[in-house]
Amino acid sequence: VLSLIVVSDVLCVTVIQGQDDWGVTYSSTEICALKASTVEISCTYTYPSRVDGRDTEVNETVWFIKLSGNQPVYLRTDSDYQDRVEYSCSEKSCTLRITDLRESDSAEYQFKFITNQPGGSYTGSPGVTLRVTDLQVKVTKLPSSPPELNCHSSCRLPDRSSYIWYNNGQKIQSQTSSTYTVNFNSADSHSCAVEGHEDFPSPPVCVSDRPCERVIYTDRSICALKGSSVDISCTYSSYQTIESKFWFSPERSHQWQSPSQPEDLSEDSQFRGRVQVLETERGRSTLRITDLTESDSAQYHFKFTTQFYEWNSSLPATTLTVTALQVQVSRITVHQSDTEAELKCHSSCSPAGRLSYVWFKNGQKVTGVETSSFKGRVYPGDIISCALKGHENYGSPPVCE
């Protein structure tokens, strides 16, 4: 069933998949979202209240994007979405929330509900196509005219989006459209963002072919394990000779002599002996922090100064979140001599990459389990813990049966 609705001159398309009172209706069939942001995908669903004299009850609601052996791989158990997926479901409606979006999340998302009726499951197909994009500033040089800048995305953002432009990291108050004609200065860099999503701007670009004033962070956000080490990197350039440069964290401003004058992180007592700045190549700086603690969770900025200029950007830098693993109990069934347990290895954020887990029972590695969930029988006195594969030294505290 296809219905067209005109609201304020905007054409909305609602697609309903269903037959014989079984159906799924998605609120949108295509969504364009910014990389590193959060997206919500919603639907409502219907089913007959009774079939052959039996009342219908919904036993399970799931979202998925791929199949394994003709069976859907549920997002909650997919390691690519570890700790980034939430369901918010009520009677006959369900919303999927995905945080920290990655370009690899671009896919078709489908909703499935399972009932107590024989063969009584239903999948809304086709589903919702999600495209994840980042912003890029494209420069068009015109003869005898100032360059024109365009805030470009690989998919179509909402038509009425308002844009924010930055010159050398500082917001330009008068510009709100996706295009911008600049007063040319070869030393300036330019970047853009969508209003309401200022935490996800484009990388700054130089308008000319010469070096300009800019800093580009390698990662917008990093999740790291407590006790481990992390590298936070950026590239930087200036059309003048750089006289000084250092890393700082605004969250440490209470320690500075002047709150408006950032101070070198390597001189902060909290980081003494744990900070190293590496310059493996010209124009690239890496801040290495070792023996991480949860209090190191903060935003980290790079700053440089020349004889006549100081990089002082309002653009977001790299946000570090330090997490400790914990074993959480999802479900337990108590028997006379033992307990059947379903456990989850939980963290407040998800380190990048495809994750494999290691489970330990009474200090011994449990073979054949590399997911964040553990199911098995435990006995009085058993001690269970978990870790990320390759980071076994930074495992969770043990829990007892």
Side-chain angles (χ1 to χ4, degrees), residues 356-373:
S356 295
Y357 291 79
V358 180
W359 286 89
F360 297 93
K361 185 176 181 180
N362 299 326
Q364 299 297 313
K365 182 179 176 181
V366 179
T367 59
V369 181
E370 292 192 351
T371 66
S372 62
S373 296

Side-chain angles (χ1 to χ4, degrees), residues 327-342:
V327 174
Q328 294 183 341
V329 178
S330 301
R331 185 182 302 167
I332 59 171
T333 303
V334 179
H335 303 286
Q336 188 171 359
S337 60
D338 61 23
T339 300
E340 191 174 355
E342 184 175 336

Side-chain angles (χ1 to χ4, degrees), residues 191-237:
S191 58
C192 65
V194 175
E195 188 173 20
H197 300 276
E198 290 86 347
D199 288 341
F200 314 108
S202 71
V205 300
C206 303
V207 176
S208 74
D209 296 328
R210 297 174 54 193
C212 65
E213 312 289 0
R214 65 175 175 176
V215 173
I216 301 176
Y217 296 95
T218 305
D219 299 293
R220 194 72 48 80
S221 62
I222 297 176
C223 176
L225 293 174
K226 180 181 178 181
S228 66
S229 300
V230 70
D231 284 353
I232 303 172
S233 300
C234 74
T235 57
Y236 62 92
S237 66

Side-chain angles (χ1 to χ4, degrees), residues 96-227:
L96 167 67
R97 189 171 189 261
I98 310 173
T99 61
D100 189 23
L101 283 171
R102 304 164 184 174
E103 289 179 271
S104 59
D105 294 336
S106 296
E108 180 184 321
Y109 291 78
Q110 297 184 56
F111 174 78
K112 177 180 181 178
F113 64 94
I114 303 165
T115 73
N116 63 331
Q117 301 290 358
S121 65
Y122 191 88
T123 299
S125 181
V128 178
T129 299
L130 171 67
R131 293 183 175 88
V132 180
T133 182
D134 56 1
L135 297 177
Q136 299 286 338
V137 174
K138 301 225 167 170
V139 182
T140 303
K141 296 181 181 179
L142 306 170
S144 305
S145 299
E148 182 179 271
L149 308 182
N150 177 259
C151 194
H152 175 76
S153 59
S154 61
C155 57
R156 186 174 179 177
L157 294 166
D159 291 337
R160 297 182 182 179
S161 297
S162 186
Y163 291 80
I164 298 170
W165 286 91
Y166 299 87
N167 181 67
N168 294 333
Q170 297 300 315
K171 184 177 178 180
I172 303 171
Q173 299 293 340
S174 59
Q175 299 297 327
T176 59
S177 69
S178 60
T179 58
Y180 168 42
T181 302
V182 304
N183 294 318
F184 184 71
N185 184 335
S186 61
D188 290 345
S189 65
H190 297 271
S191 58
C192 65
V194 175
E195 188 173 20
H197 300 276
E198 290 86 347
D199 288 341
F200 314 108
S202 71
V205 300
C206 303
V207 176
S208 74
D209 296 328
R210 297 174 54 193
C212 65
E213 312 289 0
R214 65 175 175 176
V215 173
I216 301 176
Y217 296 95
T218 305
D219 299 293
R220 194 72 48 80
S221 62
I222 297 176
C223 176
L225 293 174
K226 180 181 178 181

Side-chain angles (χ1 to χ4, degrees), residues 225 323-327 345-347 357 386-388 391 394-397:
L225 293 174
T323 184
L325 296 178
Q326 290 185 332
V327 174
C345 193
H346 174 76
S347 60
Y357 291 79
C386 65
L388 284 174
H391 299 275
Y394 312 113
S396 71

Side-chain angles (χ1 to χ4, degrees), residues 33 89 252:
C89 300
R252 303 293 295 167

